[in-house]
Amino acid sequence: MRNLAIVDLGSNSARMAVSRLHPNGTAEEIKRVKEDTRLSESMGSEHVLQPAAIDRTIRALLDFKKIYTRLPNTDVIGITTAAVRMAQNQKAFLTRVKKEVGLDLKVLSGDDEAYYDYLGVANSLVINDCLILDTGGASCELILVKGGREKQLISVPFGAVTLSEQFELDDLVPAANLFRAQMFLRDRLADIWWLTEAMHFPIILLGGANRTLARVNRRRQQKLKVEDIHGYRLKTETVYQTFLDLLTRSKAGRQDISGMEYDRADIIVGGMLPLVTLLQMLDSDRVVFSESGVREGIISEHLNSEN
């Protein structure tokens, strides 16, 4: 019996999921870890990964290595997404990771990332007509699903970290900053011609900011298993109420919200803005949360290639 470790280096956090691969073609997750690395921090318009962010990320990857090297018969797949995809110093970063960690990172294209999101969702939730939104630190992936099949997909180069930095949404948010951010998002999203086909569709949510939205509301609803968000649903009205609450608070005030990760309080407004904008544009009445995304999509592809 073999194990498969997937190291997923995102723009805001690094994650690793280890699955046990069974002979019958199924996979069982046995370990999941996460470290906040904020790799895309202060990249700016020059798209340069900064030394402090790189150092944090290398330390996280070395911590992951201590785990997967202790496991027998373990294959390791390393992937990275928007921050490294856009970075001017991508080659130097990948070379350093290879030298210091011994890990070959595959840089996923935006389309690859969106497609693996679709596979992960489609293999774990019953979906028909919907729009999938994965909000990352430096990009958002959008997938139009009709009749359970992927019809259109795109990756757009803005996310929770980059929007928060560009429009200064980290602490108390001035009305002018919020308006500029909303206009920016509406202009960019209006360029995606096929989004009109998702009018009134539910939105399936992935990504750290969206998981935070789920946890905060599960806390407020006094759910017993706060982290059990897969398949969890919220009405659009509840999403708006939560967003309004965040806007009335400073960064410190957001950190006091039950279910809020301490290190996400400064990027949660920017992280929720793509969702709020899409809900308004598409007149969607609900959202559904998925814990399965890129990593689970890659596992599915790996299992199919072996059978």
Side-chain angles (χ1 to χ4, degrees):
M1 190 174 297
R2 297 196 62 82
N3 297 317
L4 177 64
I6 297 179
V7 176
D8 179 4
L9 180 54
S11 303
N12 186 58
S13 60
R15 298 171 183 269
M16 182 179 70
V18 182
S19 298
R20 182 163 293 146
L21 307 182
H22 297 290
N24 64 358
T26 61
E28 172 194 4
E29 186 172 284
I30 59 173
K31 185 75 174 179
R32 178 179 289 214
V33 291
K34 172 206 165 193
E35 293 198 25
D36 293 319
T37 52
R38 199 145 315 177
L39 182 57
S40 62
E41 185 175 60
S42 302
M43 286 183 71
S45 58
E46 299 84 10
H47 299 302
V48 176
L49 298 172
Q50 298 301 305
I54 292 174
D55 290 343
R56 286 195 301 268
T57 301
I58 294 290
R59 288 195 297 270
L61 294 177
L62 287 170
D63 287 343
F64 292 171
K65 184 177 182 179
K66 292 175 184 176
I67 297 172
Y68 63 69
T69 52
R70 289 198 297 261
L71 297 171
N73 302 319
T74 300
D75 298 321
V76 182
I77 296 175
I79 60 170
T80 187
T81 51
V84 179
R85 184 163 65 231
M86 296 186 292
Q88 295 291 330
N89 53 341
Q90 175 192 116
K91 184 176 180 181
F93 173 74
L94 295 175
T95 299
R96 184 176 168 189
V97 170
K98 174 64 175 178
K99 179 181 178 181
E100 297 186 26
V101 185
L103 184 64
D104 287 307
L105 287 173
K106 177 183 179 182
V107 182
L108 295 185
S109 70
D111 284 356
D112 285 342
E113 188 175 359
Y115 182 67
Y116 284 129
D117 274 334
Y118 162 72
L119 281 183
V121 172
N123 285 316
S124 63
L125 288 175
V126 177
I127 56 174
N128 188 26
D129 296 340
C130 65
L131 180 74
I132 299 172
L133 167 65
D134 182 357
T135 308
S139 72
C140 290
E141 283 65 52
L142 295 158
I143 306 98
L144 175 67
V145 178
K146 286 188 170 183
R149 305 298 300 176
E150 166 262 323
K151 295 299 181 183
Q152 302 284 351
L153 54 78
I154 192 172
S155 177
V156 286
F158 48 76
V161 176
T162 53
L163 287 170
S164 298
E165 290 183 348
Q166 182 176 349
F167 297 101
E168 299 180 18
L169 308 174
D170 55 321
D171 209 331
L172 276 175
V173 181
N177 293 21
L178 179 64
F179 184 72
R180 282 194 294 267
Q182 288 177 313
M183 292 301 295
F184 170 84
L185 285 171
R186 280 188 169 272
D187 286 346
R188 297 304 183 276
L189 294 171
D191 289 338
I192 306 172
W193 62 268
W194 48 261
L195 270 182
T196 56
E197 297 183 38
M199 287 294 295
H200 310 304
F201 283 7
I203 301 179
I204 310 294
L205 296 178
L206 304 165
N210 295 323
R211 283 190 292 270
T212 297
L213 169 65
R215 283 194 299 270
V216 166
N217 279 281
R218 288 182 70 82
R219 286 279 190 192
R220 290 176 174 175
Q221 295 169 1
Q222 299 182 326
K223 301 287 187 182
L224 291 177
K225 297 180 179 179
V226 174
E227 298 295 332
D228 188 12
I229 69 169
H230 192 63
Y232 178 55
R233 297 170 178 240
L234 284 178
K235 293 181 179 180
T236 294
E237 179 183 349
T238 304
V239 176
Y240 290 161
Q241 289 171 346
T242 305
F243 188 61
L244 180 60
D245 181 30
L246 295 171
L247 287 174
T248 64
R249 297 173 183 249
S250 65
K251 174 184 171 181
R254 294 180 212 135
Q255 288 172 335
D256 289 336
I257 297 175
S258 182
M260 175 71 64
E261 292 177 82
Y262 186 87
D263 292 333
R264 195 174 290 277
D266 61 332
I267 59 170
I268 188 62
V269 171
M272 278 191 63
L273 257 182
L275 169 61
V276 170
T277 305
L278 282 166
L279 288 171
Q280 293 171 332
M281 292 175 65
L282 303 179
D283 195 25
S284 302
D285 67 350
R286 68 191 184 280
V287 299
V288 183
F289 297 87
S290 173
E291 277 279 45
S292 296
V294 169
R295 292 180 298 279
E296 290 73 21
I298 290 173
I299 292 171
S300 174
E301 183 180 74
H302 184 83
L303 290 172
N304 288 335
S305 69
E306 290 191 337
N307 295 329

